Amino acid sequence: MEKIDVTDIRLLRELQKNAKLTTKELGDRINLSASPTFERQKRLEREGYITRYVAKVDHRKLGNNLVVFCNIRLKHHSKKLGEEFVAAMQKIQEVTECYNTSGDFDYLIKIYLRNMEHYHDFVYNTLGVIDCIGSLHSVFVIAEEKTEAGIPVALDAK
């Protein structure tokens, strides 16, 4: 795997802003012609720096007006319960992110729901039937002040 350089960093930053740029448009923004830009982009894909391309969708336009972060504590710590929980999260459409965390809780999930009635139904009829969950604590988003799709890209990346 090659080490990335300043041009690769610029390319990654531009793609995170707009992944629909043509190779020529991308090249213009990073001061390269289309062919070397294309080759760099393909190399970054091959080497795993770029893992996929997605469209960022406005959840409110789809009626998902409630964003909830839910801390989950398993009944007890075991590989089996952890795998069972993660497998369940993979199947639930409303769960868009799931992290194994340290501290008082075992997992943090991000969920998108229509409203409080949907949340109530979700807690009791979706999460409530997952036997490995011991407890949960929900935090409701009041306002989204910053929602970046990209991640920081620095030259000292490995």
Side-chain angles (χ1 to χ4, degrees), residues 11-51:
L11 187 148
L12 291 171
R13 286 179 180 159
E14 291 299 327
L15 283 174
Q16 286 190 117
K17 289 179 199 171
N18 183 356
K20 286 185 68 173
L21 292 172
T22 66
T23 303
K24 183 186 179 332
E25 291 169 329
L26 185 57
D28 289 346
R29 292 181 186 205
I30 65 171
N31 298 318
L32 280 181
S33 64
S35 184
T37 299
F38 178 80
E39 291 303 319
R40 280 179 181 265
Q41 186 174 352
K42 290 302 169 197
R43 178 179 53 80
L44 291 168
E45 290 170 4
R46 272 193 318 274
E47 293 180 358
Y49 289 97
I50 299 171
T51 57

Side-chain angles (χ1 to χ4, degrees), residues 80-98:
K80 181 179 181 272
L81 285 189
E83 289 173 349
E84 182 182 321
F85 177 78
V86 171
M89 293 304 102
Q90 297 294 335
K91 296 175 187 171
I92 301 171
Q93 178 180 330
E94 293 90 345
V95 175
T96 60
E97 298 175 45
C98 178

Side-chain angles (χ1 to χ4, degrees), residues 116-132:
M116 285 303 286
E117 185 177 310
H118 188 189
Y119 169 76
H120 182 266
D121 179 69
F122 181 82
V123 167
Y124 285 102
N125 298 312
T126 303
L127 295 181
V129 299
I130 301 171
D131 191 50
C132 62

